[in-house]
Amino acid sequence: MQNNMEKNKQIKALIFDFDGLILETEAPVYRSWCEVYEAFGLDLPLAEWGRIVGTAEAEHFNPLNRLEKLVGKPLDHDNIMKERRSREMEMINSQPVMPGVETYLRDAKAMGLKLGVASSSSRTWVEGHLKRLGLIHYFDCIRTSDDVLRTKPDPGLFILVQQTLKIEPEDAIVFEDSPNGIMAAKQAGIFCVAVPNEITRHLSIDHADMHLNSLEDMQLSALLSKVEGILKNR
């Protein structure tokens, strides 16, 4: 591992998104909303849903408000949200860690890299799942929607993680699955690797610097070498 680290001195940290990157939460959330719409005989197109993937900013799209407009009458928001949330959690709690993630975390630690999480979700959500999955001890820094005024696509989360880890933007690699997250990483000036999931592979992620179908596709040492080469040629 030491030799790999010597070859990749420029990269000092890896920054991970959480939802859809470490844990597949996005498909369960979307499916739970689709089930709500189906109960009213309606569809929730993925193109519409994609507007809010990776962000907590309410102005992007509110699926319940959209449903109410389509139905044409007031709905019981509290009851719908309670039942939908229960269904969402049932599906999420059955999900394993995304492929390749724990191997990357373990290898990164062995190489002496710093590790951070930048998530548009709440601290309670992110840390709760990381503890449940036995992953929280890997991370030197966890920043969430609780720490910023605006979430992705605003770059604030990534800038905050970078500052907390005491590194420069060019010292890090971000792993993201969503268009909003990729945009935030790029605006923060950090090299971004897109690793899409079941939902986001159907969205536009072409603006990432590099693409992997899964973290299992490439060993961390090989990825670091490749990113190092790309950065040197810029």
Side-chain angles (χ1 to χ4, degrees):
M1 288 296 186
Q2 184 63 33
N3 289 336
N4 289 332
M5 190 58 189
E6 289 298 319
K7 293 177 182 177
N8 298 286
K9 286 184 177 179
Q10 182 168 357
I11 302 303
K12 299 176 181 176
L14 307 181
I15 304 173
F16 291 79
D17 176 40
F18 177 73
D19 291 286
L21 195 288
I22 292 177
L23 180 65
E24 177 54 287
T25 61
E26 289 169 355
V29 174
Y30 176 58
R31 286 181 191 139
S32 69
W33 273 111
C34 285
E35 290 176 4
V36 171
Y37 272 65
E38 288 165 4
F40 289 89
L42 298 167
D43 294 325
L44 177 56
L46 183 57
E48 286 285 314
W49 180 257
R51 293 160 56 190
I52 60 171
V53 174
T55 182
E57 304 303 319
E59 66 265 25
H60 285 266
F61 175 64
N62 186 309
L64 190 49
N65 288 348
R66 178 182 184 272
L67 177 63
E68 196 166 59
K69 287 180 181 179
L70 291 173
V71 172
K73 64 179 181 180
L75 299 175
D76 185 341
H77 286 217
D78 289 343
N79 188 55
I80 289 174
M81 288 301 294
K82 181 180 178 181
E83 293 185 1
R84 186 207 63 78
R85 184 69 169 173
S86 176
R87 176 66 175 136
E88 171 193 322
M89 292 308 300
E90 177 187 349
M91 290 187 281
I92 287 175
N93 286 333
S94 68
Q95 298 293 319
V97 178
M98 293 290 278
V101 168
E102 191 159 12
T103 300
Y104 262 54
L105 297 178
R106 189 167 54 245
D107 289 351
K109 278 299 183 184
M111 292 177 180
L113 299 177
K114 297 179 180 179
L115 291 170
V117 170
S119 173
S120 292
S121 293
S122 71
R123 180 170 297 277
T124 299
W125 174 263
V126 174
E127 291 190 349
H129 282 298
L130 287 176
K131 289 175 183 176
R132 178 178 65 83
L133 296 167
L135 300 178
I136 196 164
H137 67 282
Y138 284 110
F139 295 100
D140 303 293
C141 170
I142 297 173
R143 293 294 177 263
T144 68
S145 59
D146 296 355
D147 301 305
V148 292
L149 294 176
R150 296 188 67 83
T151 58
K152 306 166 190 176
D154 187 274
L157 273 166
F158 288 118
I159 293 171
L160 185 56
V161 171
Q162 168 221 316
Q163 292 173 341
T164 304
L165 294 178
K166 298 180 180 180
I167 57 169
E168 298 301 318
E170 61 269 21
D171 296 334
I173 298 173
V174 163
F175 295 93
E176 265 288 354
D177 70 287
S178 73
N180 283 317
I182 295 166
M183 188 182 303
K186 297 292 290 178
Q187 289 184 11
I190 306 175
F191 189 97
C192 185
V193 177
V195 189
N197 54 53
E198 177 184 343
I199 298 296
T200 58
R201 70 179 68 257
H202 300 289
L203 306 178
S204 176
I205 55 172
D206 294 339
H207 48 309
D209 296 291
M210 185 174 162
H211 298 79
L212 295 176
N213 290 320
S214 163
L215 290 183
E216 287 186 322
D217 285 357
M218 185 181 293
Q219 291 185 345
L220 178 58
S221 57
L223 181 132
L224 291 172
S225 295
K226 185 168 184 177
V227 172
E228 180 99 350
I230 293 172
L231 292 175
K232 282 181 179 178
N233 291 324
R234 283 186 172 178

